[in-house]
Amino acid sequence: MDQDPEEPLVLRVVDRLAASYPDTPRDYIEDIVAAEFGTLGHARIRSYLPILVERSAWNRLHREAGHRPG
């Protein structure tokens, strides 16, 4: 089965956010990043997608700090 071409981008975003939020479960961060990719996935200029997703996910994690499961 072919790998999704954006999967490495997703993993890099998750890695950076996991480093910034070490007390947050990685699977929770993965869920947020996946949701943000889903929201922004319609972008026509794909080269900006990772930074937009990372910024959106970071903002969401920042807002939810103290209100997340686990």
Side-chain angles (χ1 to χ4, degrees):
M1 181 174 264
D2 292 333
Q3 179 183 7
D4 179 351
E6 291 180 342
E7 186 174 347
L9 300 174
V10 172
L11 293 176
R12 280 185 263 169
V13 169
V14 170
D15 288 343
R16 285 193 296 271
L17 290 170
S20 295
Y21 291 89
D23 295 332
T24 302
R26 186 176 176 89
D27 60 335
Y28 185 68
I29 293 172
E30 289 171 354
D31 290 344
I32 289 175
V33 170
E36 295 302 328
F37 260 101
T39 300
L40 298 170
H42 67 280
R44 292 186 341 197
I45 301 175
R46 307 301 287 180
S47 59
Y48 295 113
L49 189 57
I51 192 67
L52 294 173
V53 167
E54 185 170 353
R55 179 62 55 102
S56 294
W58 186 90
N59 285 333
R60 185 169 164 186
L61 285 165
H62 187 73
R63 279 193 318 269
E64 294 178 1
H67 302 286
R68 60 182 174 272

